[in-house]
Amino acid sequence: MGTPNNTGGGEENGVMMKVVTGPGGYILQDVPHLTDYIPDLPTHPNPLRSNPAYSVVKQYFVHMDDTVPQKVVVHKDSPRGIHFRRAGPRQKVYFKSDDVSACIVTCGGLCPGLNTVIREIVHSLDYMYGVNKVLGIDGGYRGFYSKNTIRLTPKTVNDIHKRGGTILGTSRGGHDTSKIVDSIQDRGINQVYIIGGDGTQKGAAAIYKEVRRRGLKVAVAGIPKTIDNDIPVVDRSFGFDTAVEEAQRAINAAHVEAESAENGIGVVKLMGRYCGFIAQYATLASRDVDCCLIPESPFYLEGKGGLFEFVEKCLKENGHMVIVIAEGAGQELLAESGHANDEQDASGNKLLQDVGLWISQKIKDYFAKQRKMAITLKYIDPTYMIRAIPSNASDNVYCTLLAQSAVHGAMAGYTGFTSGLVHGRHTYIPFNRIIETQNKVVITDRMWARLLSSTNQPSFLGPNAIVEAKKEEPPETQLLDDDGANSGINIDGLLRCLRCS
């Protein structure tokens, strides 16, 4: 790998960032360590040395120089690029098992797999490291200073993965950094595991910063949670596979309803406030969808090439159709029609209008008033059914590995990090990379083209909008030229081009 030859640091988004450079353009965006601000901390042999589960493993511990590249597709003359520290157990740990007092908190909306992550953190701490003091914080961030804690043991969490939701309870907002860290100090907690989305991870970054300012020996580890899959850098967020699988059930129901009626239309609204990954992948998986609408790809209703024209075409050719729409799609059209809403939830997210109900009514009005054509439209919103179910097999495995990685990192003294999967390898990612932007569907890559060719729907982009989209620089975190991460598409520019095309 080459020995890193330069270490630097800086502050980004209020979080200290460690950067290590090496030959050939190698850059390691490292995560903080307790020894960065508490020098001369004693180390201890890792208890896994005597753990029977690891007795047959050839390589017990991750090498200190193991890193994972952010990009897997490079050109022969390109620099080696950005890497992240590989997750896993280390030879030395910075906590004695008997001295560890850990806590777990879940924040934000529900997501399949939350209970699995809680269970595996508790099991990993106990079975791998002999830690038996684990508290659950009741009710999200505000639970640190306003609610009771729950004692967590392997026995009490043994079958919680079979249930949806979170046994710890959750809430939005309620973050008061000073009060939270006061509570951590007062309770003698020295490992904090925080499960939540981008807003929660921003809160975790603030907690880490305050812990560091006070010079506390407290490891702060995050596990990224968002059903929308909108967290950058990581391959996917846990619960996403389950959400896509469950969304197919709603799509199938809409298809059955539409197919069984004359001029039947099934409309399914799926999660996706700012990004359309669930809608995109559920559409590709189901093969019963005729039109998929997402926030990243603007559309229009009337006129040549508009949605109404396409719906009419589908009904004439097939006698029925299914439309999937992400909850954040078309919000600009609602605003133009006088349905604007500036309210926000406790997490600071804009409260969206129900685009599914709105578009269903618009379609009904169009065919009743303009085309004088009878249709049968069924609207299905499975949002809370999807969020509240237990995770499937794939997500259960993923949750287990995320939890184990977080525990290994905290025991090894790493802090201010999120555990996540990057190209199939578990890594430790600094908080600032997780909270700097949002993951979005890139409508100029081949994955979106695959969807359009699968549904045979129009892109709803006129010539001017296509030119505008192609002008955009590809996102820095784009993994492949057809499977991008963060969209750099200027939606406002595309909307202007749509109107003038």
Side-chain angles (χ1 to χ4, degrees):
M1 185 185 80
T3 304
N5 56 19
N6 184 33
T7 302
E11 189 165 306
E12 190 170 319
N13 294 316
V15 181
M16 291 300 296
M17 182 171 62
K18 295 166 64 178
V19 178
V20 179
T21 60
Y26 170 90
I27 300 172
L28 168 62
Q29 291 190 347
D30 204 358
V31 296
H33 195 273
L34 292 173
T35 55
D36 293 343
Y37 63 94
I38 308 177
D40 304 320
L41 275 178
T43 60
H44 314 280
N46 195 317
L48 290 179
R49 291 175 182 272
S50 56
N51 190 311
Y54 279 74
S55 60
V56 296
V57 178
K58 287 185 177 179
Q59 184 184 354
Y60 272 45
F61 305 111
V62 174
H63 193 278
M64 63 178 294
D65 285 339
D66 280 1
T67 60
V68 178
Q70 182 173 357
K71 289 186 178 182
V72 292
V73 176
V74 296
H75 301 292
K76 62 181 180 180
D77 298 325
S78 63
R80 296 175 63 186
I82 293 171
H83 289 61
F84 300 108
R85 187 169 291 281
R86 186 181 175 191
R90 267 52 179 181
Q91 287 189 354
K92 299 289 185 181
V93 295
Y94 284 77
F95 293 92
K96 283 185 178 179
S97 300
D98 292 341
D99 295 339
V100 173
S101 180
C103 75
I104 306 170
V105 63
T106 54
C107 305
L110 294 182
C111 175
L114 281 169
N115 279 334
T116 306
V117 175
I118 295 168
R119 179 187 190 274
E120 295 310 319
I121 291 175
V122 175
H123 278 231
S124 298
L125 284 167
D126 192 299
Y127 294 162
M128 291 195 290
Y129 288 99
V131 173
N132 52 31
K133 287 182 285 186
V134 185
L135 294 176
I137 304 299
D138 187 6
Y141 274 138
R142 61 171 54 92
F144 274 101
Y145 51 86
S146 64
K147 287 198 175 184
N148 294 326
T149 58
I150 303 169
R151 175 80 189 280
L152 300 177
T153 67
K155 185 176 181 179
T156 60
V157 302
N158 192 51
D159 64 350
I160 63 173
H161 62 292
K162 299 174 184 176
R163 296 181 243 161
T166 164
I167 63 162
L168 299 180
T170 185
S171 64
R172 296 187 182 276
H175 186 277
D176 186 319
T177 305
S178 182
K179 286 184 177 180
I180 290 170
V181 178
D182 286 345
S183 176
I184 290 170
Q185 271 190 280
D186 293 344
R187 297 178 189 274
I189 292 169
N190 51 22
Q191 289 185 10
V192 182
Y193 297 93
I194 301 173
I195 310 165
D198 56 349
T200 301
Q201 301 302 314
K202 287 176 183 176
I207 291 170
Y208 156 72
K209 188 178 179 184
E210 178 63 14
V211 162
R212 180 168 179 153
R213 188 189 69 80
R214 299 188 190 188
L216 305 177
K217 185 188 176 183
V218 177
V220 181
I223 296 177
K225 176 233 58 164
T226 167
I227 203 168
D228 293 346
N229 198 40
D230 60 359
I231 289 182
V233 181
V234 299
D235 293 355
R236 71 181 192 279
S237 52
F238 74 82
F240 177 71
D241 278 358
T242 306
V244 170
E245 187 175 302
E246 189 67 14
Q248 284 187 84
R249 301 180 192 275
I251 292 171
N252 180 61
H255 182 252
V256 170
E257 288 282 355
E259 198 175 33
S260 302
E262 184 180 1
N263 292 328
I265 301 174
V267 177
V268 181
K269 186 186 76 173
L270 297 175
M271 289 84 72
R273 181 181 294 274
Y274 303 113
C275 68
F277 284 108
I278 292 178
Q280 179 187 29
Y281 278 80
T283 294
L284 282 167
S286 74
R287 303 290 173 176
D288 286 332
V289 179
D290 299 288
C291 185
C292 177
L293 304 172
I294 61 173
E296 296 89 338
S297 184
F299 65 93
Y300 56 100
L301 300 178
E302 301 184 50
K304 185 173 179 57
L307 180 64
F308 290 157
E309 182 184 80
F310 180 63
V311 172
E312 190 170 356
K313 174 176 175 286
C314 283
L315 293 180
K316 287 179 179 178
E317 291 180 356
N318 304 320
H320 65 275
M321 79 172 300
V322 174
I323 300 171
V324 166
I325 185 165
E327 62 181 324
Q331 291 294 320
E332 69 284 346
L333 298 179
L334 273 81
E336 289 176 3
S337 62
H339 291 76
N341 185 1
D342 295 327
E343 295 180 37
Q344 295 181 335
D345 63 19
S347 297
N349 299 312
K350 184 178 179 181
L351 291 174
L352 302 179
Q353 297 294 313
D354 192 330
V355 71
L357 278 176
W358 176 81
I359 204 167
S360 296
Q361 191 59 51
K362 283 286 186 180
I363 292 171
K364 289 177 182 178
D365 291 345
Y366 172 78
F367 282 100
K369 297 175 182 177
Q370 295 190 38
R371 309 307 293 172
K372 308 297 182 185
M373 178 177 167
I375 64 168
T376 302
L377 188 147
K378 303 294 184 184
Y379 172 51
I380 297 175
D381 180 358
T383 300
Y384 295 105
M385 292 176 65
I386 293 174
R387 283 163 39 124
I389 64 172
S391 54
N392 64 11
S394 172
D395 274 325
N396 267 335
V397 173
Y398 187 28
C399 290
T400 299
L401 300 181
L402 285 172
Q404 289 188 2
S405 294
V407 169
H408 289 316
M411 291 298 296
Y414 293 110
T415 182
F417 72 88
T418 293
S419 66
L421 199 67
V422 178
H423 309 315
R425 297 286 185 181
H426 285 265
T427 63
Y428 298 138
I429 304 164
F431 278 141
N432 63 282
R433 289 304 312 274
I434 292 294
I435 64 180
E436 66 187 357
T437 186
Q438 284 184 312
N439 197 18
K440 293 187 177 181
V441 175
V442 181
I443 65 169
T444 54
D445 74 9
R446 281 179 285 185
M447 198 64 181
W448 184 243
R450 290 172 186 138
L451 180 141
L452 296 180
S453 61
S454 172
T455 60
N456 201 31
Q457 71 185 68
S459 69
F460 301 110
L461 297 179
N464 292 342
I466 290 173
V467 171
E468 178 78 11
K470 286 187 174 182
K471 283 180 183 177
E472 298 292 338
E473 290 294 323
E476 290 183 7
T477 52
Q478 193 167 357
L479 307 183
L480 307 173
D481 58 356
D482 67 329
D483 290 309
N486 303 311
S487 173
I489 304 301
N490 184 335
I491 295 297
D492 290 336
L494 287 184
L495 286 171
R496 286 195 297 272
C497 289
L498 272 175
R499 295 185 182 102
C500 64
S501 291

